[in-house]
């Protein structure tokens, strides 16, 4: 749930100490050093134990205590101890991943499994460039725990490995499978006799109709406006093909000012110009805007497939939230209307200096077993990267529309990763530009320029490690 | 008792000094050292880079933008808070004049005093969340009130033109109560005869405040000034929780910049420490300056 800043209130404890980050680092660099003398746990590899887990080695798991809670992880841990009854698992859950774990990374005593997520996620660029993460290739090659005849890699949905890879090395297991699209209430649309528009012109016409009916067509998380960058970039990719995304991810010069991005920005500017956005949206955070949407004050909202579980408490019965791809710009789109952004999310990692690396990988193997994945989907109503793990699981309405949308999208699905390569670029820079653009303070030209300026500042910063991905 | 002095002093002073050195002074010194490295925070590798971080900082527009905001806070928060604090404290201590007692507070003073102090009891996090709801652009207290009067309402925290002032207002609001109590306590130490004399001379309430109360309270005001100046240079918690520096960096402050650089969107601990070092010197200079500028003769009542 790294895209959700739901942790405001949790910040309490940590914040009191933070006005001096420099001070917080405590014994910082000097006290650190590799504790190579510390014992690492390694068992003997066998067909039964392909990763070489030492059966009595303790395992420490740190879970991000966000919208998914921690119960699912406890279930995975129980599955692990079922196989290794002598292993003692130390479980903890926090919303402050970076502050809690930073000293332990420096000290060379990190936990074995970390669910690096949430608004206090540790920037992956920093972790990867400091070689702080263990490679997961061994896990991919290992046989699946309960899907016979397949390696773990064979059981994963396409794209699951790519998104956790840095310069071709698979380092981060993104456990959930998330679709990003435009959401509406099927009930509202049925009641009013509206149907979701497949082209942009139809979309604008529909917005006009919705507005005439006294409902705001759109709302968005004005305080986290990057949510609106997702449909905009999706529109551009569907118009110009996946190379639009590759160029952005690889920080190519003027990638943000490509013709496709320009066409998409021009199109989206229409909903701002024509005032199709709920008044006050620029001042709403994600929860407030999603709630306004659930209350029927707005018809559309941009979000990922976690929306349903995040809104569980405030969604009226029979609301039937439905995800849909972004409308096509016109006849010339390179990707069909059905194409939707699907990607693995919710990152898990094994620190390179963890004492029980083998145990960490085995824990991942447990998570990626059919049993583990099904249990997760049942508990938190989200998809996992394990293919076919939803078989026989009854899905809530919204999630079932996500499954359908992903099926329809199939091989046309697309994704981008600049947000995990360069967290700052999306979280700070593109975010700020979106805020200006969707509140109408700047036009498409300035918007793309501001994004490009942000990308250029990352590209020119020699202290940030750069990654490339293949097309 | 003289022979027992040293053991007593040592017992009571050494432990706190040691704790202070260990938990405050030594991290400060370390921050200075870290600020000259390119440390990324998650390994023990840190290469010395000399003053490169400070050079980058000098050209970092985001840092300058944050500093500019801090400068505005520094100019306004202490003045507004102290003026309001003094005003309320005066009204509570000597606002009422009609009774036979001569100088008394306004009616219901105890109640006001309690109400003013409320924000002080709440944690800053609660205050931030509370005000975030007050500033809710559709259902918030402010918007509803303005709409009720038939007036248009801005989007408060959602608009760069208003967000900063909204945060500033909360800073003043959350601080005033404490200074009302502080000034109130200081005023109660001023002999009543002085005020009665002033009253007999026919001075207005404003003149009394300016010519009599303020000079007599100068020490306290000065302390308040230093506290508030340091607060204005920080402002981290409120900003981070209410806007996180947005929209479009319009409410960014130096503390948020530092935090974001280390724990937020990047892990540049070396660079963040450099920002911290700059903050340290700024705070120190402001504190020293305000003490120097405000130095006056101390008045003692005998």
């Amino acid at each position: 749930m790294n895209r959700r800043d739901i942790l405001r209130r949790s910040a309490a404890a940590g914040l009191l100490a933070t006005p001096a980050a420099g001070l917080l680092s405590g014994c910082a660099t000097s006290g650190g050093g590799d504790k190579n003398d510390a014992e690492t746990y390694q068992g003997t590899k066998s067909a039964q134990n392909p990763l070489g887990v030492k059966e009595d080695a303790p395992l420490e798991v740190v879970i991000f205590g966000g919208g998914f809670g921690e119960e699912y992880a406890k279930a995975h841990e129980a599955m692990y101890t079922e196989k290794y009854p002598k292993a003692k698992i130390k479980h903890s859950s926090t919303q402050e991943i970076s502050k809690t774990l930073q000293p332990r990374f420096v000290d060379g005593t990190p936990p074995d499994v970390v669910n690096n997520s949430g608004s206090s996620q540790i920037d992956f660029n920093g972790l990867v460039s400091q070689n702080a993460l263990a490679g997961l290739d061994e896990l991919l090659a290992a046989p699946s725990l309960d899907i016979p005849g397949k390696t773990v890699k064979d059981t994963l949905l396409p794209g699951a490995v790519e998104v956790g890879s840095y310069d071709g090395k698979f380092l981060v297991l993104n456990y959930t499978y998330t679709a990003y699209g435009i959401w509406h209430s099927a009930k509202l649309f049925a009641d009013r006799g509206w149907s979701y528009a497949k082209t942009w012109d139809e979309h604008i016409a529909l917005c006009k109709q919705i507005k005439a009916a006294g409902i705001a067509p759109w709302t968005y998380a004005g305080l986290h406006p990057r949510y609106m960058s997702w449909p905009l970039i999706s529109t551009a990719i569907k118009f110009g093909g996946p190379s639009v995304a590759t160029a952005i991810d690889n920080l190519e010069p003027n990638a943000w000012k490509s013709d496709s991005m320009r066409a998409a920005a021009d199109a989206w500017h229409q909903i701002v110009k024509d005032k199709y956005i709920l008044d006050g949206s620029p001042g709403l955070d994600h929860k407030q805007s999603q709630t306004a949407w659930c209350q029927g004050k707005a018809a559309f909202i941009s979000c990922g497939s976690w929306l349903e579980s995040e809104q569980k408490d405030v969604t009226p019965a029979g609301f039937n939230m439905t995800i849909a791809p972004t409308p096509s710009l016109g006849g010339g789109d390179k990707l069909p209307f059905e194409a939707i952004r699907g990607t693995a999310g919710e990152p898990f990692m094994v620190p390179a200096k963890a004492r029980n690396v083998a145990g960490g990988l085995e824990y991942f193997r447990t998570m990626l077993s059919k049993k583990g994945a099904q249990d997760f989907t049942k508990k938190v109503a989200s998809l996992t990267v394990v293919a076919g793990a939803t078989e026989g699981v009854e899905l809530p309405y919204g999630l079932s529309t996500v499954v359908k949308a992903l099926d329809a999208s199939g091989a046309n699905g697309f994704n981008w990763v600049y947000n995990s390569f360069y967290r700052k670029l999306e979280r700070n820079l593109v975010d700020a530009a979106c805020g200006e653009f969707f509140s109408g303070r700047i036009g498409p030209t300035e918007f793309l320029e501001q994004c490009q300026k942000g990308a250029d500042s990352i590209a020119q910063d020699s202290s940030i490690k750069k990654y490339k991905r293949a097309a | 008792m003289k022979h027992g002095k040293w053991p007593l002093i040592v017992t009571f002073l050494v432990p706190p000094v040691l704790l202070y050195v260990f938990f405050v002074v030594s991290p400060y010194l370390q921050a200075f050292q870290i600020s000259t490295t390119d440390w990324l925070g998650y390994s023990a590798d840190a290469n010395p880079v000399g003053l490169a971080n400070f050079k980058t900082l000098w050209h970092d527009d985001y840092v300058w933008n944050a500093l500019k905001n801090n400068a505005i806070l520094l100019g306004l928060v202490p003045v507004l808070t102290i003026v309001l604090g003094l005003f309320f404290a005066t009204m509570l201590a000597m606002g009422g004049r009609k009774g036979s007692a001569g100088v008394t507070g306004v009616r219901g003073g105890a109640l006001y005093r309690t109400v003013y102090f409320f924000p002080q009891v709440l944690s800053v996090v609660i205050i931030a969340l509370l005000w975030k709801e007050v500033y809710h652009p559709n259902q918030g207290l402010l918007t509803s009130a303005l709409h009720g009067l038939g007036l248009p309402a801005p989007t408060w925290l959602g608009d760069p033109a208003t967000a900063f002032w909204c945060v500033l207002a909360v800073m003043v609001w959350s601080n005033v109560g404490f200074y009302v109590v502080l000034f109130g306590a200081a005023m109660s130490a001023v002999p009543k005869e002085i005020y009665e004399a002033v009253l007999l001379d026919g001075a207005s309430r404003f003149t009394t405040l300016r010519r009599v109360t303020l000079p007599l309270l100068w020490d306290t005001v000065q302390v308040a000034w230093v506290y508030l100046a340091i607060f204005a240079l920080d402002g981290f918690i409120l900003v981070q929780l209410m806007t996180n520096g947005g929209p479009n960096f319009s409410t960014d402050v130096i503390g948020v910049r530092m935090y974001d650089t280390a724990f937020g969107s990047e892990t540049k601990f070396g660079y963040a420490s450099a920002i911290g070092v700059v903050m340290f010197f700024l705070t120190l200079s402001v504190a020293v300056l305000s003490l120097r500028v405000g130095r006056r003769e101390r008045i003692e009542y005998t």
Side-chain angles (χ1 to χ4, degrees):
Chain A
M1 260 166 278
N2 48 344
R3 301 155 213 87
R4 273 176 275 168
D5 296 356
I6 53 177
L7 314 170
R8 301 288 177 201
R9 73 202 110 103
S10 71
L15 284 187
L16 297 175
T18 39
L23 318 184
L24 253 197
S25 38
C27 58
T29 48
S30 51
D34 303 290
K35 299 216 169 155
N36 285 334
D37 48 329
E39 190 191 348
T40 55
Y41 302 105
Q42 185 68 48
T44 22
K45 292 183 185 177
S46 67
Q48 278 306 302
N49 185 5
L51 296 166
V53 179
K54 193 160 184 285
E55 57 175 20
D56 60 348
L59 184 75
E60 184 180 354
V61 180
V62 177
I63 294 297
F64 166 65
F68 289 144
E70 53 177 319
E71 291 311 313
Y72 77 87
K74 285 185 180 157
H76 288 151
E77 287 155 16
M79 291 174 204
Y80 182 93
T81 39
E82 208 176 299
K83 192 168 174 199
Y84 302 98
K86 284 188 208 153
K88 254 190 112 103
I89 294 194
K90 190 176 164 207
H91 167 100
S92 62
S93 158
T94 173
Q95 296 184 328
E96 294 293 340
I97 297 286
S98 68
K99 264 174 287 183
T100 316
L101 297 183
Q102 190 262 344
R104 297 189 55 192
F105 271 91
V106 179
D107 203 28
T109 56
D112 304 305
V113 172
V114 180
N115 175 199
N116 183 22
S117 189
S119 66
S120 296
Q121 176 192 49
I122 307 167
D123 172 31
F124 275 108
N125 189 298
L127 286 173
V128 175
S129 67
Q130 293 171 84
N131 300 319
L133 303 183
L136 304 178
D137 290 318
E138 219 184 329
L139 166 74
L140 292 180
S144 163
L145 207 57
D146 59 2
I147 306 171
K150 285 192 173 178
T151 62
V152 168
K153 190 176 184 180
D154 297 335
T155 65
L156 301 182
L157 286 170
V161 173
E162 283 71 17
V163 72
S165 298
Y166 292 80
D167 283 341
K169 268 199 290 187
F170 184 47
L171 299 171
V172 183
L173 169 68
N174 286 283
Y175 187 53
T176 63
Y177 202 78
T178 307
Y180 290 77
I182 298 175
W183 292 80
H184 66 272
S185 157
K187 178 173 184 290
L188 177 73
F189 275 51
D191 287 351
R192 305 270 180 161
W194 299 329
S195 54
Y196 188 82
K198 292 193 173 181
T199 67
W200 189 255
D201 289 343
E202 286 166 26
H203 180 78
I204 293 296
L206 177 60
C207 284
K208 200 173 172 188
Q209 218 181 330
I210 294 171
K211 195 178 177 184
I215 298 175
W218 274 88
T219 187
Y220 70 102
L223 299 186
H224 315 291
R226 60 177 175 275
Y227 277 54
M228 285 307 274
S229 71
W230 306 333
L232 194 153
I233 299 173
S234 297
T235 305
I237 293 172
K238 283 165 78 163
F239 182 68
S243 63
V244 174
T246 325
I248 288 177
D249 288 344
N250 290 343
L251 298 179
E252 282 172 23
N254 290 325
W256 288 86
K257 297 206 257 181
S258 67
D259 293 342
S260 306
M261 283 300 289
R262 178 71 212 210
D266 282 341
W268 279 93
H269 191 48
Q270 194 77 31
I271 67 163
V272 185
K273 264 196 312 205
D274 292 352
K275 305 225 179 305
Y276 288 154
I277 298 176
L278 177 71
D279 278 345
S281 293
L284 301 176
D285 68 15
H286 61 299
K287 273 281 202 185
Q288 292 167 334
S289 63
Q290 286 160 198
T291 304
W293 173 76
C294 278
Q295 291 165 347
K297 289 180 184 152
F300 298 118
I301 195 162
S302 155
C303 199
S305 46
W306 63 81
L307 179 67
E308 187 174 39
S309 52
E310 196 170 37
Q311 291 302 105
K312 202 164 57 188
D313 298 335
V314 293
T315 310
F319 185 77
N320 291 355
M321 59 175 73
T322 305
I323 196 171
T326 50
S328 306
L329 276 189
D333 283 40
K334 294 240 169 72
L335 297 177
F337 163 74
E338 286 74 21
I340 198 166
R341 180 188 181 200
T343 177
E346 197 60 23
F348 283 76
M349 61 198 194
V350 175
K353 286 184 186 151
R355 294 180 71 194
N356 193 1
V357 171
L361 296 186
E362 179 72 11
Y363 181 78
F364 284 177
R365 199 159 76 108
T366 315
M367 289 170 70
L368 294 172
S369 68
K370 195 159 188 177
K371 189 179 162 200
Q374 278 188 335
D375 187 76
F376 178 83
T377 301
K378 267 185 221 156
K379 281 208 164 70
V380 305
S382 283
L383 304 177
T384 64
V385 288
V386 180
T390 52
E391 276 168 36
V393 182
E394 201 183 318
L395 302 176
Y397 190 93
L399 193 60
S400 69
T401 69
V402 170
V403 174
K404 262 184 248 158
L406 285 170
D407 280 348
S409 166
N412 288 314
F414 55 88
N415 186 31
W416 59 84
V417 293
Y418 83 90
N419 50 320
S420 52
F421 280 180
Y422 315 107
R423 181 173 154 88
K424 182 181 178 183
L425 182 53
E426 189 192 45
R427 290 260 167 173
N428 277 14
L429 307 174
V430 171
D431 191 63
C434 285
E436 296 298 283
F437 182 59
F438 284 98
S439 58
R441 285 188 291 274
I442 57 174
T445 315
E446 295 95 328
F447 166 67
L448 296 177
E449 245 154 39
Q450 196 176 337
C451 291
Q452 187 59 49
K453 201 178 134 213
D456 291 345
S457 75
I458 301 284
Q460 284 153 13
D461 189 336
S462 58
S463 63
I464 299 175
K465 190 168 158 60
K466 308 300 185 307
Y467 302 103
K468 294 269 181 244
R469 76 175 177 100
Chain B
M1 284 298 282
K2 221 164 187 162
H3 59 280
K5 200 171 89 176
W6 286 109
L8 189 77
I9 290 178
V10 168
T11 335
F12 278 89
L13 277 188
V14 167
V17 165
L18 280 181
L19 285 174
Y20 188 78
V21 167
F22 187 77
F23 286 111
V24 179
V25 177
S26 85
Y28 262 108
L29 292 177
Q30 261 194 337
F32 280 82
Q33 184 251 321
I34 293 168
S35 72
T36 63
T37 68
D38 62 358
W39 191 42
L40 288 172
Y42 287 86
S43 69
D45 302 327
N47 307 307
V49 293
L51 296 177
N53 285 328
F54 293 94
K55 233 163 97 188
T56 319
L57 211 149
W58 186 256
H59 299 288
D60 189 332
D61 292 343
Y62 295 105
V63 168
W64 281 108
N65 168 59
L67 279 174
K68 184 205 78 191
N69 287 338
N70 276 114
I72 302 177
L73 291 178
L74 185 62
L76 290 179
V77 172
V79 177
L80 289 174
T81 313
I82 290 176
V83 166
L84 282 172
L86 274 174
F87 172 71
F88 290 139
T90 318
M91 292 308 279
L92 289 176
M94 57 204 81
R97 294 235 160 139
K98 292 217 168 96
S100 56
V103 178
T104 57
V106 292
R107 229 179 306 156
L111 176 72
Y112 286 123
R113 210 186 301 266
T114 316
V115 171
Y116 291 150
F117 203 69
F118 272 162
Q120 211 57 42
V121 185
L122 301 175
S123 106
V124 188
V125 180
I126 306 283
I127 290 176
L129 292 173
L130 197 94
W131 278 90
K132 237 179 116 174
E133 287 309 313
V134 172
Y135 287 133
H136 190 297
N138 296 333
Q139 295 148 14
L141 201 64
L142 278 173
T143 308
S144 308
L146 283 178
H147 283 173
L149 294 170
L151 296 170
T155 39
W156 309 114
L157 297 175
D159 188 339
T162 51
F164 182 74
W165 306 107
C166 291
V167 175
L168 191 146
V170 177
M171 286 180 178
V172 173
W173 179 86
S174 60
N175 274 311
V176 161
F178 176 75
Y179 293 98
V180 170
V181 173
L182 189 73
F183 294 146
M187 280 177 195
S188 64
V190 178
K192 225 170 191 173
E193 297 81 46
I194 296 184
Y195 285 113
E196 278 161 4
V198 172
L199 193 62
L200 284 176
D201 287 343
S204 72
R205 275 182 265 199
F206 179 70
T207 316
T208 316
L209 175 63
R210 210 167 72 89
R211 300 278 183 185
V212 180
T213 315
L214 198 54
L216 290 177
L217 256 58
W218 195 252
D219 271 354
T220 320
V221 171
Q222 207 183 355
V223 170
W225 198 282
V226 176
Y227 280 0
L228 284 164
I230 292 172
F231 174 86
L233 281 177
D234 175 13
F236 171 79
I237 307 180
L238 276 178
V239 172
Q240 213 245 358
L241 288 168
M242 287 177 66
T243 63
N244 201 15
N248 203 18
F249 302 97
S250 61
T251 58
D252 212 6
V253 290
I254 191 76
V256 170
R257 207 79 320 275
M258 176 172 72
Y259 178 82
D260 186 65
T261 307
F263 292 102
S265 62
E266 298 177 283
T267 65
K268 291 180 186 165
F269 278 72
Y271 190 49
S273 297
I275 300 180
V277 167
V278 168
M279 223 175 129
F280 169 79
F281 282 114
L282 281 179
T283 316
L284 201 67
S285 326
V286 167
V288 170
L289 265 180
S290 45
L291 283 172
R292 277 288 148 89
V293 172
R295 185 176 285 172
R296 287 203 188 172
E297 291 286 306
R298 179 185 284 267
I299 298 164
E300 283 183 32
Y301 318 109
T302 42

